[in-house]
């Protein structure tokens, strides 16, 4: 029904193999299905409620999934903020509403199930936080140990708390995410642990369901554009693959323009798009308040750049200030609470509308990748502090009307 194929040299790997990148050329791998054998209709899909496993005919799993009911997240149409952006039709897909509060759960339900299918006994990842939280809950649910490597001092506390509480072995690496990822790849090779970073093509299969759900929620219409934050560049790749598969199966007839947003201090994919390169130049010292996307050497860059170019999309950077402003606007004009990285999509959209790159008449979906509560320390730094007063009505009134 499916196999793994190198995106560079076309080498094929069987589904029994534990392989993350091509053994011949080092290229990234894709999961390729025999699409002629997959029968899927809008009518059939419309009968079932939204969830990752609703689309199981397009997921590379045969056993019962390790699931905590991921997916089925809200697609909010913006009103006040859309007016402020001077855009006609903008939606936010709130991936913060997944079990651990980020889109990573979609990938991990598939990835950890695949680990069991392959008979692996330990799962591992490097993470800027959300991947580790997600791996931890699915490891717990599956009853297998999880090992997570985090860049010390650069992970939002809510994410560390999740990894700790769900029982992962949490290692704080004196180094950045890119170094942690190199280490965990080495660890997995040496110890036979199952690597669940987004270099693992099976994880991206779960994440492509974001694309399926958006089309599903829009009555099987495809938006003109998807705008999302880019870190390790897995999600942009996955969502694009989802839309392409819907088109291949004849369920939809277009694909959206994939538009990636990075922080100004960690912009390797944007730099490559600006100079029309097929490869990125790694940034040795990435820095941004949006710690989730504080990544200088995104492993999925080759796939992500293909998604941007093929779909006629683009990429843009935003400053930390623009991210904070967008985060507050989304929270205060629409009631949608997201973490800084997620807000970069709105900040980027504003910039691209203002500079004329995006047509205000487009139907646009921004992906809010993670929940506000992931990073509450940051909130205390950027919002006014609670006002402490005596417990008297006089003081309350004084403070309210101050
Ligand atoms: N938004 C959030 C909230 C994230 O946590 C991440 C990635 C991204 C966007 C970028 O997605 O890597 O697929 O381009 N976080 C990873 C982690 C790196 O370890 O949690 P990407």
């Amino acid at each position: 029904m499916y196999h793994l194929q190198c995106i560079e040299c076309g080498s094929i790997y069987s589904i029994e193999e534990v392989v993350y990148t091509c053994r011949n050329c080092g290229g990234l791998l894709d999961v390729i299905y025999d699409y002629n054998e997959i029968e899927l209709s809008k009518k059939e899909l419309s009968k079932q409620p939204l969830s990752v496993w609703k689309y199981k005919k397009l997921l590379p799993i045969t056993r019962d999934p390790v699931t905590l009911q991921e997916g089925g997240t809200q697609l909010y149409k913006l009103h006040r903020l859309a007016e402020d952006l001077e855009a006609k039709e903008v939606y936010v897909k709130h991936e913060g509403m997944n079990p651990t509060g980020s889109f990573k759960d979609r990938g991990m339900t598939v990835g950890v199930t695949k680990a069991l299918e392959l008979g692996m006994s330990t799962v591992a990842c490097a993470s800027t936080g959300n991947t580790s939280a997600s791996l931890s809950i699915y490891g717990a649910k599956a009853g297998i140990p999880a090992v997570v490597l985090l860049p010390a001092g650069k992970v939002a506390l809510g994410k560390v708390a999740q990894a700790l509480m769900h029982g992962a072995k949490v290692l704080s690496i004196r180094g950045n995410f890119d170094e942690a990822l190199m280490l965990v790849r080495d660890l997995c090779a040496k110890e036979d642990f199952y690597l669940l970073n987004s270099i693992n093509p099976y994880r991206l299969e779960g994440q492509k369901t974001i694309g399926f759900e958006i089309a599903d929620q829009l009555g099987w219409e495809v938006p003109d554009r998807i705008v999302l934050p880019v870190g390790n560049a897995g999600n942009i790749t996955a969502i694009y693959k989802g839309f392409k598969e819907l088109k291949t199966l004849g369920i939809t007839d277009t694909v959206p323009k994939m538009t990636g947003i990075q922080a100004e201090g960690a912009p390797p994919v944007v730099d490559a798009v600006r100079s029309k390169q097929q490869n990125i130049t790694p940034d040795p010292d990435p820095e941004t308040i949006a710690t989730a996307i504080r990544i200088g050497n995104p492993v999925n860059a080759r796939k992500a750049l293909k998604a941007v170019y093929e779909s006629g999309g683009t990429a843009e950077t935003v400053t930390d200030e623009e991210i904070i402003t967008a985060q507050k606007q989304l929270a205060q004009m629409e009631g949608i609470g997201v973490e800084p990285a997620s807000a970069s999509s709105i900040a980027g959209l504003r910039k691209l509308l203002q500079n004329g790159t995006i047509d205000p008449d487009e139907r646009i979906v921004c992906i809010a990748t993670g929940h506000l509560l992931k990073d509450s320390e940051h909130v205390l730094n950027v919002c006014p502090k609670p006002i402490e007063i005596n417990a008297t009505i006089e003081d309350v009134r004084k403070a309210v009307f101050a």
Side-chain angles (χ1 to χ4, degrees):
M1 277 285 278
Y2 65 92
H3 60 267
L4 296 172
Q5 186 165 18
C6 174
I7 66 162
E8 308 292 348
C9 73
S11 296
I12 288 177
Y13 298 92
S14 94
I15 57 174
E16 279 91 38
E17 291 182 75
V18 177
V19 55
Y20 309 105
T21 51
C22 181
R23 293 199 190 101
N24 298 319
C25 75
L28 297 166
L29 303 179
D30 245 349
V31 181
I32 307 291
Y33 300 82
D34 185 352
Y35 294 102
N36 294 324
E37 295 294 311
I38 297 173
E39 275 182 38
L40 205 57
S41 67
K42 290 183 211 175
K43 198 167 157 210
E44 179 193 333
L45 287 169
S46 300
K47 287 189 203 137
Q48 305 162 48
L50 291 176
S51 81
V52 166
W53 293 99
K54 166 175 180 171
Y55 313 99
K56 61 176 181 285
K57 284 188 179 170
L58 283 163
L59 294 173
I61 295 292
T62 45
R63 64 168 286 149
D64 278 347
V66 181
T67 174
L68 287 148
Q69 300 176 21
E70 44 294 313
T73 57
Q74 292 87 335
L75 183 70
Y76 295 118
K77 186 167 185 199
L78 301 189
H79 295 285
R80 293 171 57 209
L81 184 51
E83 229 171 79
D84 191 66
L85 289 164
E86 295 180 25
K88 198 161 122 195
E89 199 176 350
V90 184
Y91 298 82
V92 165
K93 177 82 168 152
H94 197 351
E95 286 297 294
M97 303 307 276
N98 276 296
T100 67
S102 89
F103 69 96
K104 306 286 181 177
D105 298 340
R106 293 179 186 269
M108 285 303 178
T109 181
V110 173
V112 172
T113 305
K114 180 54 77 179
L116 297 186
E117 244 177 35
L118 290 168
M120 305 299 280
S121 56
T122 299
V123 286
C125 71
S127 181
T128 57
N130 282 322
T131 299
S132 72
S134 192
L135 185 66
S136 303
I137 72 160
Y138 291 96
K141 181 79 180 169
I144 56 171
V147 178
V148 305
L149 277 63
L150 309 177
K154 293 292 184 181
V155 179
L157 204 53
K159 304 172 188 181
V160 183
Q162 289 177 299
L164 291 171
M165 179 51 88
H166 291 291
K169 172 83 79 177
V170 180
L171 308 177
S172 237
I173 304 298
R174 294 186 199 102
N176 63 24
F177 168 82
D178 302 297
E179 291 166 298
L181 182 54
M182 268 193 323
L183 270 174
V184 82
R185 287 177 75 171
D186 195 22
L187 176 75
C188 287
K190 292 196 164 101
E191 297 300 328
D192 211 18
F193 292 174
Y194 196 53
L195 178 65
L196 275 167
N197 280 98
S198 56
I199 198 159
N200 182 321
Y202 292 121
R203 219 196 82 190
L204 295 183
E205 290 302 290
Q207 289 173 213
K208 78 184 176 186
T209 61
I210 297 175
F212 296 165
E213 275 189 16
I214 290 169
D216 203 332
Q217 286 168 304
L218 292 174
W220 299 109
E221 284 188 16
V222 175
D224 298 309
R225 189 180 296 272
I226 301 288
V227 185
L228 78 166
V230 172
N232 220 10
N235 211 28
I236 189 168
T237 304
I239 296 174
Y240 181 57
K241 184 169 190 272
F243 280 110
K244 270 206 306 193
E245 286 183 345
L246 291 180
K247 187 165 174 245
T248 302
L249 291 168
I251 292 175
T252 56
D253 47 23
T254 57
V255 293
K257 298 181 179 74
M258 300 305 297
T259 301
I261 309 298
Q262 295 197 297
E264 211 168 75
V269 172
V270 179
D271 285 348
V273 171
R274 283 187 182 143
S275 51
K276 300 191 171 61
Q277 300 296 308
Q278 305 294 331
N279 291 296
I280 56 136
T281 305
D283 178 343
D285 196 18
E287 199 51 84
T288 165
I289 197 168
T291 51
I293 52 170
R294 186 177 169 270
I295 294 174
N297 190 12
V299 288
N300 285 299
R302 289 275 296 172
K303 283 182 175 177
L305 288 169
K306 217 166 137 189
V308 169
Y309 296 138
E310 257 182 32
S311 70
T314 189
E316 185 57 275
T317 55
V318 290
T319 64
D320 283 357
E321 291 67 35
E322 288 166 336
I323 290 174
I324 296 165
T325 301
Q327 187 189 22
K328 288 182 178 172
Q329 287 171 334
L330 206 45
Q332 295 171 15
M333 298 170 91
E334 298 290 343
I336 301 173
V338 305
E339 66 168 285
S342 310
S344 68
S345 58
I346 293 288
L349 172 60
R350 183 180 292 281
K351 206 173 234 181
L352 291 167
L353 282 162
Q354 278 170 355
N355 69 20
T357 308
I358 295 183
D359 180 340
D361 286 338
E362 287 184 17
R363 180 186 261 190
I364 298 158
V365 177
C366 293
I367 313 294
T369 44
H371 200 279
L372 170 68
L373 293 175
K374 291 282 191 171
D375 200 350
S376 42
E377 281 171 302
H378 153 83
V379 176
L380 295 177
N381 292 329
V382 300
C383 290
K385 302 270 174 299
I387 307 159
E388 189 172 331
I389 53 167
N390 292 326
T392 66
I393 189 66
E394 291 76 30
D395 277 26
V396 171
R397 294 184 67 221
K398 225 193 288 172
V400 167
F401 296 112

mmCIF file of all heavy atoms in Angstrom, residues 194-226:
data_model
loop_
_atom_site.group_PDB
_atom_site.id
_atom_site.type_symbol
_atom_site.label_atom_id
_atom_site.label_comp_id
_atom_site.label_asym_id
_atom_site.label_seq_id
_atom_site.Cartn_x
_atom_site.Cartn_y
_atom_site.Cartn_z
ATOM 1 N N TYR A 194 13.894 4.923 18.887
ATOM 2 C CA TYR A 194 13.157 5.393 17.706
ATOM 3 C C TYR A 194 13.107 6.922 17.699
ATOM 4 O O TYR A 194 12.593 7.545 18.626
ATOM 5 C CB TYR A 194 11.747 4.811 17.682
ATOM 6 C CG TYR A 194 11.090 4.952 16.317
ATOM 7 C CD1 TYR A 194 11.724 4.486 15.167
ATOM 8 C CD2 TYR A 194 9.848 5.552 16.182
ATOM 9 C CE1 TYR A 194 11.134 4.604 13.919
ATOM 10 C CE2 TYR A 194 9.248 5.670 14.926
ATOM 11 C CZ TYR A 194 9.909 5.197 13.801
ATOM 12 O OH TYR A 194 9.320 5.321 12.559
ATOM 13 N N LEU A 195 13.643 7.511 16.627
ATOM 14 C CA LEU A 195 13.769 8.968 16.516
ATOM 15 C C LEU A 195 12.451 9.581 16.056
ATOM 16 O O LEU A 195 11.953 9.248 14.987
ATOM 17 C CB LEU A 195 14.884 9.302 15.518
ATOM 18 C CG LEU A 195 15.130 10.782 15.232
ATOM 19 C CD1 LEU A 195 15.633 11.513 16.468
ATOM 20 C CD2 LEU A 195 16.135 10.937 14.086
ATOM 21 N N LEU A 196 11.906 10.482 16.854
ATOM 22 C CA LEU A 196 10.618 11.070 16.470
ATOM 23 C C LEU A 196 10.650 12.582 16.262
ATOM 24 O O LEU A 196 9.674 13.286 16.530
ATOM 25 C CB LEU A 196 9.518 10.633 17.435
ATOM 26 C CG LEU A 196 8.945 9.265 17.000
ATOM 27 C CD1 LEU A 196 8.089 8.628 18.055
ATOM 28 C CD2 LEU A 196 8.184 9.383 15.683
ATOM 29 N N ASN A 197 11.786 13.059 15.762
ATOM 30 C CA ASN A 197 11.782 14.425 15.224
ATOM 31 C C ASN A 197 11.155 14.384 13.831
ATOM 32 O O ASN A 197 10.915 13.315 13.275
ATOM 33 C CB ASN A 197 13.193 14.999 15.200
ATOM 34 C CG ASN A 197 13.577 15.491 16.577
ATOM 35 O OD1 ASN A 197 14.266 14.788 17.332
ATOM 36 N ND2 ASN A 197 13.088 16.668 16.930
ATOM 37 N N SER A 198 10.920 15.592 13.267
ATOM 38 C CA SER A 198 10.172 15.621 12.001
ATOM 39 C C SER A 198 10.992 15.152 10.808
ATOM 40 O O SER A 198 10.485 15.090 9.690
ATOM 41 C CB SER A 198 9.604 17.022 11.749
ATOM 42 O OG SER A 198 10.630 17.985 11.767
ATOM 43 N N ILE A 199 12.241 14.759 11.043
ATOM 44 C CA ILE A 199 12.996 14.093 9.982
ATOM 45 C C ILE A 199 12.411 12.693 9.736
ATOM 46 O O ILE A 199 12.598 12.102 8.673
ATOM 47 C CB ILE A 199 14.498 14.021 10.338
ATOM 48 C CG1 ILE A 199 15.306 13.739 9.087
ATOM 49 C CG2 ILE A 199 14.780 12.996 11.450
ATOM 50 C CD1 ILE A 199 16.738 14.121 9.180
ATOM 51 N N ASN A 200 11.667 12.207 10.730
ATOM 52 C CA ASN A 200 10.967 10.924 10.608
ATOM 53 C C ASN A 200 9.729 11.139 9.721
ATOM 54 O O ASN A 200 8.809 11.853 10.097
ATOM 55 C CB ASN A 200 10.560 10.450 12.008
ATOM 56 C CG ASN A 200 9.875 9.096 11.976
ATOM 57 O OD1 ASN A 200 9.090 8.813 11.074
ATOM 58 N ND2 ASN A 200 10.183 8.263 12.951
ATOM 59 N N PRO A 201 9.722 10.518 8.525
ATOM 60 C CA PRO A 201 8.630 10.831 7.591
ATOM 61 C C PRO A 201 7.254 10.399 8.101
ATOM 62 O O PRO A 201 6.244 10.964 7.694
ATOM 63 C CB PRO A 201 9.014 10.059 6.319
ATOM 64 C CG PRO A 201 9.980 9.012 6.757
ATOM 65 C CD PRO A 201 10.686 9.539 7.974
ATOM 66 N N TYR A 202 7.215 9.415 8.976
ATOM 67 C CA TYR A 202 5.909 8.960 9.481
ATOM 68 C C TYR A 202 5.247 10.024 10.348
ATOM 69 O O TYR A 202 4.028 10.155 10.384
ATOM 70 C CB TYR A 202 6.056 7.661 10.276
ATOM 71 C CG TYR A 202 6.435 6.495 9.406
ATOM 72 C CD1 TYR A 202 7.608 5.776 9.637
ATOM 73 C CD2 TYR A 202 5.630 6.112 8.342
ATOM 74 C CE1 TYR A 202 7.965 4.702 8.833
ATOM 75 C CE2 TYR A 202 5.980 5.039 7.525
ATOM 76 C CZ TYR A 202 7.150 4.340 7.778
ATOM 77 O OH TYR A 202 7.488 3.293 6.970
ATOM 78 N N ARG A 203 6.061 10.782 11.073
ATOM 79 C CA ARG A 203 5.478 11.818 11.926
ATOM 80 C C ARG A 203 4.772 12.867 11.077
ATOM 81 O O ARG A 203 3.687 13.337 11.397
ATOM 82 C CB ARG A 203 6.582 12.478 12.771
ATOM 83 C CG ARG A 203 6.096 12.754 14.165
ATOM 84 C CD ARG A 203 7.000 13.721 14.879
ATOM 85 N NE ARG A 203 6.710 15.101 14.524
ATOM 86 C CZ ARG A 203 7.472 16.120 14.857
ATOM 87 N NH1 ARG A 203 8.585 15.924 15.548
ATOM 88 N NH2 ARG A 203 7.148 17.338 14.515
ATOM 89 N N LEU A 204 5.393 13.201 9.972
ATOM 90 C CA LEU A 204 4.790 14.219 9.096
ATOM 91 C C LEU A 204 3.472 13.738 8.501
ATOM 92 O O LEU A 204 2.592 14.545 8.179
ATOM 93 C CB LEU A 204 5.774 14.611 7.989
ATOM 94 C CG LEU A 204 7.047 15.301 8.484
ATOM 95 C CD1 LEU A 204 7.919 15.720 7.302
ATOM 96 C CD2 LEU A 204 6.733 16.513 9.342
ATOM 97 N N GLU A 205 3.327 12.422 8.375
ATOM 98 C CA GLU A 205 2.056 11.890 7.859
ATOM 99 C C GLU A 205 0.899 12.282 8.781
ATOM 100 O O GLU A 205 -0.186 12.613 8.327
ATOM 101 C CB GLU A 205 2.140 10.364 7.720
ATOM 102 C CG GLU A 205 3.051 9.918 6.599
ATOM 103 C CD GLU A 205 2.608 10.479 5.256
ATOM 104 O OE1 GLU A 205 1.581 10.055 4.738
ATOM 105 O OE2 GLU A 205 3.319 11.361 4.730
ATOM 106 N N GLY A 206 1.131 12.236 10.084
ATOM 107 C CA GLY A 206 0.081 12.656 11.011
ATOM 108 C C GLY A 206 -0.224 14.138 10.869
ATOM 109 O O GLY A 206 -1.383 14.567 10.877
ATOM 110 N N GLN A 207 0.825 14.927 10.680
ATOM 111 C CA GLN A 207 0.645 16.387 10.601
ATOM 112 C C GLN A 207 -0.031 16.845 9.312
ATOM 113 O O GLN A 207 -0.640 17.916 9.278
ATOM 114 C CB GLN A 207 2.001 17.083 10.797
ATOM 115 C CG GLN A 207 2.474 16.976 12.233
ATOM 116 C CD GLN A 207 3.881 17.506 12.461
ATOM 117 O OE1 GLN A 207 4.594 16.999 13.305
ATOM 118 N NE2 GLN A 207 4.301 18.522 11.718
ATOM 119 N N LYS A 208 0.041 16.004 8.267
ATOM 120 C CA LYS A 208 -0.614 16.411 7.008
ATOM 121 C C LYS A 208 -2.125 16.502 7.188
ATOM 122 O O LYS A 208 -2.816 17.154 6.392
ATOM 123 C CB LYS A 208 -0.238 15.448 5.869
ATOM 124 C CG LYS A 208 -0.994 14.121 5.899
ATOM 125 C CD LYS A 208 -0.534 13.163 4.827
ATOM 126 C CE LYS A 208 -1.272 11.829 4.983
ATOM 127 N NZ LYS A 208 -0.783 10.798 4.079
ATOM 128 N N THR A 209 -2.646 15.874 8.248
ATOM 129 C CA THR A 209 -4.099 15.911 8.475
ATOM 130 C C THR A 209 -4.584 17.327 8.790
ATOM 131 O O THR A 209 -5.789 17.585 8.720
ATOM 132 C CB THR A 209 -4.537 14.950 9.602
ATOM 133 O OG1 THR A 209 -3.905 15.337 10.824
ATOM 134 C CG2 THR A 209 -4.197 13.510 9.270
ATOM 135 N N ILE A 210 -3.673 18.242 9.121
ATOM 136 C CA ILE A 210 -4.086 19.654 9.259
ATOM 137 C C ILE A 210 -4.670 20.130 7.921
ATOM 138 O O ILE A 210 -5.706 20.784 7.883
ATOM 139 C CB ILE A 210 -2.894 20.557 9.672
ATOM 140 C CG1 ILE A 210 -2.364 20.161 11.047
ATOM 141 C CG2 ILE A 210 -3.305 22.038 9.656
ATOM 142 C CD1 ILE A 210 -1.109 20.934 11.475
ATOM 143 N N GLY A 211 -3.985 19.769 6.848
ATOM 144 C CA GLY A 211 -4.474 20.139 5.507
ATOM 145 C C GLY A 211 -5.816 19.485 5.209
ATOM 146 O O GLY A 211 -6.743 20.138 4.718
ATOM 147 N N PHE A 212 -5.929 18.200 5.538
ATOM 148 C CA PHE A 212 -7.202 17.490 5.293
ATOM 149 C C PHE A 212 -8.333 18.196 6.038
ATOM 150 O O PHE A 212 -9.414 18.414 5.496
ATOM 151 C CB PHE A 212 -7.137 16.037 5.792
ATOM 152 C CG PHE A 212 -6.136 15.158 5.090
ATOM 153 C CD1 PHE A 212 -5.769 13.931 5.645
ATOM 154 C CD2 PHE A 212 -5.568 15.523 3.877
ATOM 155 C CE1 PHE A 212 -4.858 13.100 5.019
ATOM 156 C CE2 PHE A 212 -4.650 14.699 3.234
ATOM 157 C CZ PHE A 212 -4.291 13.483 3.819
ATOM 158 N N GLU A 213 -8.065 18.517 7.304
ATOM 159 C CA GLU A 213 -9.134 19.104 8.128
ATOM 160 C C GLU A 213 -9.557 20.479 7.639
ATOM 161 O O GLU A 213 -10.737 20.823 7.674
ATOM 162 C CB GLU A 213 -8.679 19.224 9.594
ATOM 163 C CG GLU A 213 -8.903 17.958 10.358
ATOM 164 C CD GLU A 213 -8.661 18.096 11.855
ATOM 165 O OE1 GLU A 213 -8.604 19.220 12.389
ATOM 166 O OE2 GLU A 213 -8.518 17.041 12.495
ATOM 167 N N ILE A 214 -8.589 21.274 7.200
ATOM 168 C CA ILE A 214 -8.939 22.617 6.722
ATOM 169 C C ILE A 214 -9.883 22.503 5.522
ATOM 170 O O ILE A 214 -10.931 23.153 5.472
ATOM 171 C CB ILE A 214 -7.669 23.424 6.362
ATOM 172 C CG1 ILE A 214 -6.905 23.780 7.647
ATOM 173 C CG2 ILE A 214 -8.026 24.696 5.587
ATOM 174 C CD1 ILE A 214 -5.516 24.349 7.412
ATOM 175 N N ALA A 215 -9.524 21.637 4.567
ATOM 176 C CA ALA A 215 -10.390 21.449 3.392
ATOM 177 C C ALA A 215 -11.754 20.929 3.837
ATOM 178 O O ALA A 215 -12.803 21.414 3.390
ATOM 179 C CB ALA A 215 -9.731 20.491 2.404
ATOM 180 N N ASP A 216 -11.742 19.960 4.717
ATOM 181 C CA ASP A 216 -12.966 19.354 5.253
ATOM 182 C C ASP A 216 -13.845 20.441 5.902
ATOM 183 O O ASP A 216 -15.051 20.552 5.618
ATOM 184 C CB ASP A 216 -12.513 18.322 6.309
ATOM 185 C CG ASP A 216 -13.527 17.221 6.573
ATOM 186 O OD1 ASP A 216 -14.707 17.483 6.397
ATOM 187 O OD2 ASP A 216 -13.113 16.122 6.989
ATOM 188 N N GLN A 217 -13.242 21.278 6.732
ATOM 189 C CA GLN A 217 -14.004 22.312 7.444
ATOM 190 C C GLN A 217 -14.515 23.413 6.515
ATOM 191 O O GLN A 217 -15.471 24.100 6.843
ATOM 192 C CB GLN A 217 -13.130 22.916 8.563
ATOM 193 C CG GLN A 217 -12.968 21.967 9.754
ATOM 194 C CD GLN A 217 -11.891 22.420 10.728
ATOM 195 O OE1 GLN A 217 -10.737 22.616 10.347
ATOM 196 N NE2 GLN A 217 -12.240 22.599 11.993
ATOM 197 N N LEU A 218 -13.852 23.582 5.381
ATOM 198 C CA LEU A 218 -14.308 24.595 4.420
ATOM 199 C C LEU A 218 -15.214 23.963 3.354
ATOM 200 O O LEU A 218 -15.386 24.521 2.264
ATOM 201 C CB LEU A 218 -13.107 25.284 3.762
ATOM 202 C CG LEU A 218 -12.246 26.175 4.683
ATOM 203 C CD1 LEU A 218 -11.003 26.677 3.938
ATOM 204 C CD2 LEU A 218 -13.039 27.351 5.225
ATOM 205 N N GLY A 219 -15.787 22.805 3.673
ATOM 206 C CA GLY A 219 -16.700 22.143 2.723
ATOM 207 C C GLY A 219 -15.968 21.641 1.496
ATOM 208 O O GLY A 219 -16.480 21.714 0.381
ATOM 209 N N TRP A 220 -14.779 21.113 1.696
ATOM 210 C CA TRP A 220 -13.918 20.580 0.630
ATOM 211 C C TRP A 220 -13.515 21.649 -0.382
ATOM 212 O O TRP A 220 -13.344 21.394 -1.557
ATOM 213 C CB TRP A 220 -14.520 19.334 -0.033
ATOM 214 C CG TRP A 220 -14.674 18.268 1.000
ATOM 215 C CD1 TRP A 220 -15.827 17.809 1.540
ATOM 216 C CD2 TRP A 220 -13.611 17.606 1.698
ATOM 217 N NE1 TRP A 220 -15.552 16.884 2.523
ATOM 218 C CE2 TRP A 220 -14.199 16.745 2.638
ATOM 219 C CE3 TRP A 220 -12.203 17.658 1.639
ATOM 220 C CZ2 TRP A 220 -13.467 15.947 3.510
ATOM 221 C CZ3 TRP A 220 -11.468 16.850 2.494
ATOM 222 C CH2 TRP A 220 -12.100 16.011 3.407
ATOM 223 N N GLU A 221 -13.391 22.859 0.113
ATOM 224 C CA GLU A 221 -12.768 23.906 -0.704
ATOM 225 C C GLU A 221 -11.379 24.169 -0.145
ATOM 226 O O GLU A 221 -11.163 24.079 1.061
ATOM 227 C CB GLU A 221 -13.616 25.170 -0.665
ATOM 228 C CG GLU A 221 -14.840 25.013 -1.532
ATOM 229 C CD GLU A 221 -15.605 26.306 -1.676
ATOM 230 O OE1 GLU A 221 -15.049 27.373 -1.367
ATOM 231 O OE2 GLU A 221 -16.770 26.216 -2.085
ATOM 232 N N VAL A 222 -10.476 24.513 -1.031
ATOM 233 C CA VAL A 222 -9.094 24.744 -0.618
ATOM 234 C C VAL A 222 -8.865 26.249 -0.481
ATOM 235 O O VAL A 222 -9.210 26.995 -1.398
ATOM 236 C CB VAL A 222 -8.126 24.131 -1.662
ATOM 237 C CG1 VAL A 222 -6.683 24.455 -1.335
ATOM 238 C CG2 VAL A 222 -8.329 22.621 -1.733
ATOM 239 N N PRO A 223 -8.293 26.701 0.637
ATOM 240 C CA PRO A 223 -8.015 28.136 0.740
ATOM 241 C C PRO A 223 -6.958 28.550 -0.282
ATOM 242 O O PRO A 223 -6.240 27.704 -0.813
ATOM 243 C CB PRO A 223 -7.488 28.294 2.169
ATOM 244 C CG PRO A 223 -7.031 26.941 2.579
ATOM 245 C CD PRO A 223 -7.845 25.947 1.808
ATOM 246 N N ASP A 224 -6.885 29.849 -0.540
ATOM 247 C CA ASP A 224 -5.863 30.320 -1.479
ATOM 248 C C ASP A 224 -4.472 30.205 -0.877
ATOM 249 O O ASP A 224 -3.493 30.019 -1.587
ATOM 250 C CB ASP A 224 -6.123 31.797 -1.832
ATOM 251 C CG ASP A 224 -7.459 31.963 -2.524
ATOM 252 O OD1 ASP A 224 -7.706 31.236 -3.503
ATOM 253 O OD2 ASP A 224 -8.282 32.787 -2.065
ATOM 254 N N ARG A 225 -4.410 30.354 0.466
ATOM 255 C CA ARG A 225 -3.088 30.441 1.088
ATOM 256 C C ARG A 225 -3.113 29.904 2.513
ATOM 257 O O ARG A 225 -4.086 30.095 3.239
ATOM 258 C CB ARG A 225 -2.649 31.907 1.112
ATOM 259 C CG ARG A 225 -1.212 32.135 1.529
ATOM 260 C CD ARG A 225 -0.869 33.618 1.511
ATOM 261 N NE ARG A 225 -0.933 34.226 0.195
ATOM 262 C CZ ARG A 225 0.080 34.275 -0.686
ATOM 263 N NH1 ARG A 225 1.242 33.749 -0.369
ATOM 264 N NH2 ARG A 225 -0.074 34.846 -1.867
ATOM 265 N N ILE A 226 -1.998 29.246 2.868
ATOM 266 C CA ILE A 226 -1.766 28.841 4.264
ATOM 267 C C ILE A 226 -0.563 29.642 4.752
ATOM 268 O O ILE A 226 0.471 29.703 4.074
ATOM 269 C CB ILE A 226 -1.418 27.329 4.362
ATOM 270 C CG1 ILE A 226 -2.534 26.450 3.799
ATOM 271 C CG2 ILE A 226 -1.078 26.950 5.803
ATOM 272 C CD1 ILE A 226 -3.784 26.369 4.628
#
